Amino acid sequence: AQSVSQHNHHVILSEAASLELGCNYSYGGTVNLFWYVQYPGQHLQLLLKYFSGDPLVKGIKGFEAEFIKSKFSFNLRKPSVQWSDTAEYFCAVIPLGRDDKIIFGKGTRLHILP
Amino acid sequence: NAGVTQTPKFQVLKTGQSMTLQCAQDMNHNSMYWYRQDPGMGLRLIYYSASEGTTDKGEVPNGYNVSRLNKREFSLRLESAAPSQTSVYFCASSEARAEETQYFGPGTRLLVL
């Protein structure tokens, strides 16, 4: 069965530190890839997505992610985090050509210290 | 545009009671979804509706039923609530299943005693 792994369950950083959150998936075919963010007390919203083309995608609020097909990875990065980035981050994958159901990772809680 | 709306925001039930969670979207989306979010488990798909008139089971459908009332509305029913169904429930919609940016509602916090 397809799965999505987010290796870091809880990350604590100081402001201005660099961030990289890992995401790996298990599916050998074509995928659509997403990162969603859930700020405290709010609902999920899209941070960025990759369907095709340039494997380095840029999202809102200075986030970017790189799709590395050979590693089945879609890691999220930000060069300098802010306190307002405190949130839970979810990687999600749609394996195309199967049942096209989206599969979410278990999430990474990011806490930024002011 | 309100996006995706859900009612109620909070609910407390006793074991065995029933209730329906309501979801509506005003984006003319074809597909709608119900998820539950539990600590450390991420989001798990309960049911989805690829288009009006169709529904399909997701990862954790047991104990739930759904109705796609029309293109706008997709309800989730708990016939006999159990403490294991204590969770936060999110409704989402997308233009088409295969395309896939999903827009989420604000969630319903459900506590089953």
Side-chain angles (χ1 to χ4, degrees), chain A residues 94 99-102, chain B residues 3-4 23-35 45 47-56 68 70-74 91-105:
Chain A
I94 296 181
D99 53 17
D100 288 350
K101 288 181 191 175
I102 191 168
Chain B
V4 180
C23 174
Q25 52 91 8
D26 62 2
M27 296 174 281
N28 201 37
H29 284 169
N30 289 311
S31 302
M32 297 185 74
Y33 313 82
W34 275 106
Y35 295 91
L45 183 65
Y47 270 94
Y48 65 100
S49 171
S51 60
E52 186 179 354
T54 69
T55 60
D56 287 286
R68 184 74 182 268
N70 47 54
K71 193 171 185 179
R72 288 188 64 248
E73 299 171 290
F74 188 39
C91 179
S93 71
S94 67
E95 193 169 327
R97 269 179 64 193
E99 182 181 352
E100 334 63 314
T101 297
Q102 295 191 13
Y103 297 84
F104 286 81

Side-chain angles (χ1 to χ4, degrees), chain A residues 48-67:
Chain A
L48 51 77
K49 63 185 179 184
Y50 172 81
F51 289 176
S52 64
D54 188 343
L56 183 63
V57 292
K58 296 189 184 300
I60 60 172
K61 304 188 179 186
F63 285 91
E64 64 179 31
E66 184 175 14
F67 171 49

Side-chain angles (χ1 to χ4, degrees), chain A residues 32 34 36 38 41-46 49 51 88 90 94 96 98-102 104-107 109, chain B residues 33 35 37 39-43 45 48 56-59 90 97-107:
Chain A
N32 286 353
F34 307 82
Y36 285 87
Q38 186 177 27
Q42 297 187 26
H43 56 90
L44 277 82
Q45 55 186 286
L46 182 71
K49 63 185 179 184
F51 289 176
E88 190 161 14
F90 294 93
I94 296 181
L96 300 178
R98 298 292 285 251
D99 53 17
D100 288 350
K101 288 181 191 175
I102 191 168
F104 281 87
K106 294 185 177 181
R109 286 190 178 272
Chain B
Y33 313 82
Y35 295 91
Q37 184 182 28
M41 300 295 291
L43 277 82
L45 183 65
Y48 65 100
D56 287 286
K57 294 179 181 179
E59 182 184 354
F90 288 99
R97 269 179 64 193
E99 182 181 352
E100 334 63 314
T101 297
Q102 295 191 13
Y103 297 84
F104 286 81

Side-chain angles (χ1 to χ4, degrees), chain A residues 11 13 17-21 63 76-81 89 110:
Chain A
V11 174
L13 294 173
S18 64
L19 170 71
E20 181 160 4
L21 300 181
F63 285 91
L76 181 70
R77 300 195 292 249
K78 186 171 183 179
S80 177
V81 294
Y89 293 80
L110 175 65

